[in-house]
Amino acid sequence: KGIEGVTVSDGFSCVVTDAKGRYKMTTSSDAVHVFYSIPSAYKVNVKDGHPDFYQRLDKSVKKYDFTLTPNPTEEKAFRLIMVADPQAQCEFHIKRFERETVPDIREYVDAQTLPCYGITLGDIISMGGSTNEEHMFYDMRDAMHADKMGLPVFQVMGNHDNTFYGP
């Protein structure tokens, strides 16, 4: 069954679903993903430990459908934990994040009565232009797995996360 009023975007333009849950959008040639807003009456779906609200664009695909799962009750309030600019520069920084930050956040989340969500505010890694360490972005993302943190974490890319340099 389609859901009316859901915002769908490619990061360049937005459309809203109609009464039958349908939408039509011409995606930008620079777009990489299509994603949707999550209405308060629906759960944040999690796949492989991370929020599942987007699909990678593929030139051969003309239709993108999403499945929203109703909440038993509409969420009227929640806690948002923001992780600003972790900028991990090496494996030691990632391990320290896992050893110190993750347990602190998990302890806070476990003590809450409201639902909790997390968001990074960009610059998850920072390589400084010297090496190609793209895997560090994925290592940090894995450190923020929902099972470890106790909440789904939405990742927002920063300029350092989009810049990988070769040797």
Side-chain angles (χ1 to χ4, degrees):
K1 180 181 176 190
I3 300 164
E4 182 177 11
V6 177
T7 302
V8 180
S9 178
D10 66 352
F12 293 88
S13 61
C14 297
V15 296
V16 177
T17 58
D18 66 16
K20 294 184 179 179
R22 296 179 301 200
Y23 67 96
K24 185 172 183 172
M25 177 173 53
T26 302
T27 58
S28 168
S29 60
D30 292 328
V32 178
H33 296 96
V34 61
F35 55 94
Y36 65 95
S37 64
I38 303 168
S40 61
Y42 294 84
K43 294 180 181 181
V44 173
N45 291 326
V46 175
K47 180 179 177 186
D48 300 325
H50 304 285
D52 184 28
F53 63 102
Y54 64 92
Q55 294 180 36
R56 187 165 187 82
L57 291 171
D58 179 336
K59 292 185 190 300
S60 67
V61 176
K62 300 294 180 203
K63 182 179 179 183
Y64 293 90
D65 287 327
F66 298 98
T67 301
L68 281 79
T69 306
N71 265 331
T73 59
E74 184 174 2
E75 286 184 3
K76 301 280 186 184
F78 60 88
R79 300 268 186 232
L80 181 64
I81 291 95
M82 295 170 277
V83 179
D85 293 357
Q87 294 199 35
Q89 296 177 346
C90 61
E91 294 299 324
F92 172 78
H93 293 161
I94 296 169
K95 294 299 178 198
R96 185 173 178 198
F97 182 86
E98 290 177 318
R99 190 175 59 249
E100 297 175 17
T101 306
V102 170
D104 284 349
I105 292 172
R106 181 65 191 239
E107 182 180 356
Y108 175 82
V109 168
D110 288 347
Q112 300 308 304
T113 57
L114 290 173
C116 294
Y117 302 99
I119 187 168
T120 59
L121 301 177
D123 294 343
I124 298 163
I125 64 168
S126 177
M127 294 312 303
S130 60
T131 59
N132 184 350
E133 297 287 349
E134 184 176 352
H135 71 88
M136 287 182 48
F137 174 77
Y138 299 105
D139 292 347
M140 279 295 285
R141 186 172 186 260
D142 288 343
M144 294 183 233
H145 191 283
D147 290 343
K148 295 176 185 177
M149 301 278 280
L151 72 162
V153 179
F154 293 83
Q155 303 288 338
V156 177
M157 301 290 282
N159 62 315
H160 294 185
D161 303 314
N162 286 304
T163 308
F164 299 108
Y165 302 92

